Amino acid sequence: SGTGSTGSESVVKVVVATVVHDHDDARIRHRQIASLLEAGDEVVYVAPERTGGRTGPAGEPAGLRKRSVPRAAGRRRLGALVAVRRVLAEESRTADLTVLHDPELTLLDRWISGPVVFDVHEDLPAQIADKAWVPGFLRPLLRSVAGWIERRAVRRMSVVLAEEGYRDRLGAHVVVRNTPVVPEAVVPSRPGRVVHLGRLSTGRGADLL
């Protein structure tokens, strides 16, 4: 039963947090949160402002509440972490579960009440090569720091992986594949056409392709 809910005991309150990903991130907003809402749970979505700055409840489904925080981008990260720490401390006190989608948020675990899950859907050490704001001579050091953050999170909280390949680095945790929701019926595309939704980069394996 949900300890944080005020209505039915079967309702679970989940805090889902990111300061890096877009508000409409496919895995977070359209798969994880949508699945929780479909199950009848309550979700507090802690995330940066959506594109266009719309923050009101208009258009949001029942059971979803948004808490806006600054975006962590480039070297401008401290302000976002301070802001999200305050929100997580407040919201997690009445929540049954907190799900973190950014490695840096796992460093705030001492301010989070209750169980915490780290959802790993990116290879952080590999992505250092994609970050133009990181000077080349600092990248080996940052890869080491990124690895340390991930190992710390594995020791201190539950972990969910987006693909089996992450098990080599982080251990045999539960895998929830980052696959799209496929409708029961689709209109066939023309032969030989391939559609890709996402980002192709060195950090995401483009060189291996």
Side-chain angles (χ1 to χ4, degrees):
S1 64
T3 59
S5 58
T6 57
S8 170
E9 291 188 355
S10 63
V11 175
V12 176
K13 176 182 174 183
V14 183
V15 176
V16 179
T18 179
V19 293
V20 174
H21 297 279
D22 184 79
H23 175 277
D24 287 324
D25 180 87
R27 180 178 178 90
I28 303 174
R29 176 63 186 85
H30 298 287
R31 295 177 191 143
Q32 186 175 94
I33 291 180
S35 297
L36 290 168
L37 295 176
E38 186 177 356
D41 298 324
E42 297 176 353
V43 178
V44 178
Y45 189 18
V46 182
E49 300 282 357
R50 69 185 66 181
T51 303
R54 295 187 296 116
T55 60
E60 299 290 10
L64 177 61
R65 182 162 56 87
K66 171 77 184 298
R67 292 292 302 270
S68 295
V69 291
R71 180 181 296 278
R75 297 183 178 93
R76 301 186 303 276
R77 294 179 177 268
L78 182 59
L81 291 177
V82 171
V84 76
R85 182 188 67 179
R86 182 179 64 254
V87 174
L88 288 175
E90 177 184 337
E91 294 291 348
S92 66
R93 285 197 295 267
T94 57
D96 300 285
L97 179 69
T98 299
V99 183
L100 306 176
H101 286 271
D102 312 327
E104 51 263 59
L105 295 187
T106 65
L107 299 175
L108 305 178
D109 58 328
R110 61 178 294 187
W111 289 279
I112 300 174
S113 303
V116 180
V117 171
F118 176 31
D119 190 334
V120 182
H121 45 110
E122 292 180 336
D123 187 337
L124 181 63
Q127 283 190 348
I128 298 299
D130 278 348
K131 301 183 184 300
W133 56 273
V134 178
F137 70 92
L138 283 179
R139 290 179 181 179
L141 174 62
L142 284 186
R143 279 194 291 269
S144 297
V145 172
W148 174 82
I149 292 175
E150 288 186 329
R151 292 191 297 272
R152 177 185 181 276
V154 167
R155 293 194 304 268
R156 299 170 72 98
M157 60 193 64
S158 299
V159 176
V160 172
L161 308 178
E163 55 185 80
E164 282 81 359
Y166 293 164
R167 286 180 163 178
D168 295 337
R169 192 172 81 253
L170 301 175
H173 301 283
V174 173
V175 174
V176 179
R177 291 179 178 274
N178 205 14
T179 52
V181 178
V182 180
E184 294 182 1
V186 297
V187 178
S189 179
R190 65 177 182 268
R193 184 185 185 199
V194 175
V195 177
H196 169 77
L197 176 62
R199 178 186 176 197
L200 294 176
S201 65
T202 301
R204 295 170 186 255
D207 55 333
L208 299 180
L209 291 176

